[in-house]
Amino acid sequence: MSDLELQEIPLNASDWKYSGEGNMKIVFTYTGSEPSLNNWLLQLNKGEESSTLAAQLERRRDARTFSTLVVGPLIGRQYILEQRLVRVPHEFLSSLSERTQSRPAHRTHTHIDVDQGVGVLVPNMLANRSVTVELKPKWGFLPQSSSIAPANSVKHRVCRYCMHQHLKHKTPSKLCPLDLYSSTPNRINRALDALAESPQNNLRVFVNGVMTDTAHVEWSELKRVLVHILLKEQILVRLQRLQRELDVLDIEGVFPVYERAVECGVGANEPSVDDWVEAVGLFQTQMERSDKQVVLEYLLSMVLKDVSVMIMIEKWPVENGEMPEYKVAVVDTEPKKLAKMARYRDLSQDIVDNYLKLHPHPSSQKQCYE
């Protein structure tokens, strides 16, 4: 690891405008006059960072390498954004935190980690004269694994997202992600309308770099363009296929394999970047899979079930019904941890148990279709 990877750039809090945030990260757009920062966004962590600068740099570098050398070969390198690692001083972060006031109410309980030493610059997908849509499509298939217990056979009929909604919300979203993943315009339209009605954390729309509600855009026109792009790019079709092929056994079948691997000592430590790269290579060659390979493929599937798809439509609004220029990127590609395997097993069972408690009879259960 070299400090040369950590760029020193001029940072003034007044040059950065709040653009949005998720559970773990907060994003700012550059508004200053430094040419090297034009058209870049700054991603910062929320929460508290207790590790050393060297450890932070190594972790950010590994995440960047994972995105480029692991996720890129799977979904297409053209969808992976460049990342520049930059030093962010405490004084800059403190000032930025004080200046960041216009945040959604449900996000104000978390704050910028003012002790982090490393930020990430990525190309600006929230440019002026554009509209950017961020989709988090989630799980895209119905598992058919024979490892699923008969008592949990509802998994074969009702998708993970639709069941999970009943555990998370009193009023579940009308969205079924399988509609979004389909190649049928009417189903994609239905999914987009459901997202507009209940965006949760699955839909965000930015106009000229500012997050806004779908009521403040020409939604019917935006939907038309989005459906065209999704059908042309086939990025969701690719994600769906990879999710399914990497998760053949379901967590009910994978978890015993994980336990066996741990007992043999091959699953005791978190995977290195080299482990991940090797796993992708073995997956693509379709060689016989070891226990370690089965578990790593499952975790890769979990990564792809949690990514976001950014679609930047340039020169918005479009004129005369023409199709505009656009760019598509896949973000939120951080690796998943072996240490969460038990959590994945428990959450899966909680979701099923809750859904069956609310809908014990098959006649009252939803039927999802791929």
Side-chain angles (χ1 to χ4, degrees):
M1 180 185 66
S2 169
D3 285 342
L4 293 176
E5 295 180 84
L6 191 58
Q7 300 178 20
E8 298 277 359
I9 60 173
L11 288 172
N12 188 318
S14 62
D15 292 336
W16 296 89
K17 179 182 70 173
Y18 171 81
S19 292
E21 60 191 291
N23 292 331
M24 305 298 293
K25 295 187 177 110
I26 187 167
V27 179
F28 296 86
T29 303
Y30 184 66
T31 60
S33 57
E34 170 58 42
S36 66
L37 296 177
N38 287 339
N39 301 315
W40 291 86
L41 295 177
L42 177 63
Q43 289 182 350
L44 298 171
N45 285 344
K46 300 194 296 184
E48 296 182 0
E49 178 66 75
S50 58
S51 58
T52 65
L53 180 64
Q56 292 178 48
L57 179 56
E58 183 174 10
R59 192 158 52 248
R60 305 293 192 279
R61 183 199 62 187
D62 286 350
R64 180 178 63 183
T65 304
F66 182 87
S67 180
T68 304
L69 298 185
V70 178
V71 179
L74 289 172
I75 65 169
R77 289 181 172 86
Q78 68 271 28
Y79 297 117
I80 301 299
L81 294 175
E82 178 187 355
Q83 296 182 31
R84 296 165 56 191
L85 306 182
V86 296
R87 189 185 296 276
V88 283
H90 176 85
E91 296 77 12
F92 164 74
L93 295 172
S94 296
S95 179
L96 193 62
S97 181
E98 292 174 1
R99 295 174 59 89
T100 306
Q101 304 296 330
S102 57
R103 300 170 62 196
H106 70 285
R107 297 292 189 188
T108 55
H109 67 286
T110 59
H111 305 280
I112 297 172
D113 170 17
V114 296
D115 292 321
Q116 64 190 298
V118 183
V120 181
L121 289 175
V122 295
N124 188 0
M125 294 283 288
L126 308 175
N128 287 330
R129 290 206 63 201
S130 73
V131 60
T132 299
V133 176
E134 180 181 352
L135 297 170
K136 189 173 279 292
K138 305 301 285 187
W139 296 47
F141 69 101
L142 292 169
Q144 299 303 319
S145 171
S146 60
S147 299
I148 294 174
N152 296 335
S153 63
V154 67
K155 288 182 179 181
H156 299 312
R157 303 184 301 276
V158 186
C159 78
R160 160 69 172 247
Y161 180 89
C162 288
M163 285 195 287
H164 200 180
Q165 282 289 297
H166 291 267
L167 185 63
K168 293 171 66 177
H169 303 284
K170 291 183 178 179
T171 304
S173 168
K174 296 177 183 176
L175 169 70
C176 178
L178 303 191
D179 287 337
L180 192 62
Y181 280 99
S182 77
S183 296
T184 306
N186 287 344
R187 292 184 66 187
I188 299 174
N189 268 295
R190 181 168 65 198
L192 291 172
D193 280 335
L195 282 167
E197 181 180 327
S198 180
Q200 297 181 20
N201 70 334
N202 303 105
L203 172 71
R204 292 195 293 180
V205 177
F206 302 83
V207 177
N208 297 325
V210 178
M211 189 163 61
T212 188
D213 189 271
T214 53
H216 299 139
V217 296
E218 183 53 56
W219 181 238
S220 60
E221 177 65 6
L222 182 54
K223 274 197 307 175
R224 180 186 72 85
V225 175
L226 288 173
V227 170
H228 172 86
I229 293 172
L230 291 173
L231 290 174
K232 181 179 179 181
E233 290 293 321
Q234 295 285 288
I235 181 62
L236 294 185
V237 173
R238 189 175 308 183
L239 281 173
Q240 181 189 52
R241 175 181 61 81
L242 288 166
Q243 289 178 13
R244 179 189 287 112
E245 291 179 358
L246 288 162
D247 179 11
V248 176
L249 299 179
D250 185 76
I251 187 62
E252 292 186 45
V254 170
F255 195 78
V257 178
Y258 163 70
E259 289 184 307
R260 188 167 65 226
V262 171
E263 288 177 2
C264 295
V266 297
N269 299 317
E270 292 296 335
S272 67
V273 171
D274 289 340
D275 289 330
W276 289 117
V277 172
E278 180 184 35
V280 169
L282 292 173
F283 167 72
Q284 292 176 327
T285 56
Q286 296 294 305
M287 296 181 65
E288 186 175 349
R289 300 182 303 164
S290 65
D291 287 351
K292 175 183 177 182
Q293 179 69 15
V294 169
V295 174
L296 291 186
E297 286 186 11
Y298 177 79
L299 290 177
L300 285 171
S301 180
M302 294 299 287
V303 171
L304 298 181
K305 292 165 185 168
D306 205 30
V307 298
S308 294
V309 177
M310 303 283 293
I311 303 172
M312 182 177 72
I313 303 165
E314 300 177 7
K315 297 181 180 178
W316 183 267
V318 297
E319 298 179 358
N320 303 321
E322 297 179 357
M323 290 310 304
E325 296 292 321
Y326 65 87
K327 181 176 181 179
V328 178
V330 175
V331 299
D332 299 336
T333 58
E334 292 81 2
K336 302 298 184 182
K337 292 185 177 297
L338 282 171
K340 288 193 173 182
M341 287 294 292
R343 168 61 178 157
Y344 294 146
R345 176 202 57 188
D346 295 345
L347 178 59
S348 177
Q349 194 60 52
D350 289 346
I351 289 170
V352 171
D353 290 345
N354 179 75
Y355 188 79
L356 291 177
K357 180 180 178 180
L358 296 173
H359 303 279
H361 303 294
S363 60
S364 69
Q365 296 168 3
K366 184 177 182 178
Q367 174 66 63
C368 299
Y369 298 94
E370 289 189 21

